[in-house]
Amino acid sequence: KEIHEKHRASRDTVTVVLNVFLRPGAFRRVLDGIGSQTALQSITHVNVLALGSPFVHQYGKLLEEYRKTASWTSEVSISLVTSEPTFNPGYFGRFLLSMNLNTTFTLILDDDVVLGARYLELCLRWARSIDKHAVLGQRGARYYRNELRKRSLFGLGKRLSPNKYHDFFGEHGLLRDTDVLFSAWFLRTKWILKMFAEEPLTWATAEDIHLGMLLRQRFGIRMVALPVD
C-alpha cells in the first residue's frame, strides 16, 4: 500500500522513444501497447525515430492515420523524427538523440516490443521505491566465463553459444540481473549521457552491450529484466 501511494503521488515524467526501421506492419500494434499503459498519465511525449529507414514515408502516413483513430493521442504528443535513407546514425542514434530530453525517465523501445498494459507502472514503482540504481528492461542475457556451463548445454544450446569463453543465457521476464538488456530500456534520462563516458569500441553495433558495461562497471547501475506484464 505504501509503495502504491508513493506511485500515485509522484510527478515523475516519461518520454517514450520508439525506434522504427523495417517493420511498418507492426507499427500500430506497438503504438497500441504504449497507449494501453495504466501509467499513461506519466508519459509526456512519444518520439518515433525513423532514421535512415527506407519506409520513412510509410511510417508518416501510418502515424497520421493512427492519430485519427486512437483516443490516447489527444493526451500524449507524438512526434515523428525522420531522415533521408542516406543519413543513418545507426544503433547508437536512439541514445544520442535522447540525451537532452527533459523528463525524469526515458523508455527506449525497438519496433518489435509490444508492452503489457502495466509494464510502465511496474518500471516506475521499481525505480521509485525498490531500486533507484537500475536500468530496467524486458529481456537480456548473462555471460559466463565457465567451461562447465559450456559442457552443460545440449544440441541447439551449443550452436547458440559458440564462443568458448562467454556463454549466453537469455533472461526474459524473470526478474533477473543481467549483463545486457535488449530491445527495451527504462532508465533515468540523465544516465544516457553516462554511456558515452567512454567511446564505444565500434559505432556500428553492440550499443546494448556498451550501455550495460559502462553503467555497471563505472557507475554501479544494474541491468534488470522485469516481468513483461
Side-chain angles (χ1 to χ4, degrees), residues 169-219:
F169 282 76
E171 305 292 355
H172 192 163
L174 299 175
L175 193 56
R176 297 280 184 86
D177 279 279
T178 68
D179 294 320
V180 59
L181 293 169
F182 306 125
S183 302
W185 300 266
F186 176 86
L187 70 168
R188 294 183 181 274
T189 303
K190 63 184 180 181
W191 291 349
I192 299 175
L193 182 62
K194 292 181 182 293
M195 74 176 287
F196 299 105
E198 293 182 15
E199 183 176 352
L201 294 176
T202 174
W203 290 93
T205 186
E207 79 295 346
D208 41 17
I209 296 175
H210 182 77
L211 171 69
M213 180 190 70
L214 259 292
L215 294 191
R216 285 189 303 108
Q217 292 187 353
R218 290 199 56 170
F219 302 102

Side-chain angles (χ1 to χ4, degrees), residues 11-48:
R11 291 291 183 179
D12 289 334
T13 54
V14 180
T15 297
V16 178
V17 177
L18 172 59
N19 192 66
V20 300
F21 195 69
L22 293 176
R23 298 185 179 96
F27 189 42
R28 183 179 184 88
R29 189 179 177 198
V30 174
L31 289 175
D32 284 343
I34 297 171
S36 71
Q37 295 304 297
T38 55
L40 186 65
Q41 72 279 1
S42 296
I43 301 176
T44 63
H45 206 90
V46 176
N47 290 335
V48 179

Side-chain angles (χ1 to χ4, degrees), residues 134-150:
V135 178
L136 308 176
Q138 290 192 348
R139 61 190 181 94
R142 290 180 290 169
Y143 296 90
Y144 295 94
R145 286 181 176 269
N146 190 331
E147 191 63 25
L148 290 177
R149 289 188 178 272
K150 182 67 177 179

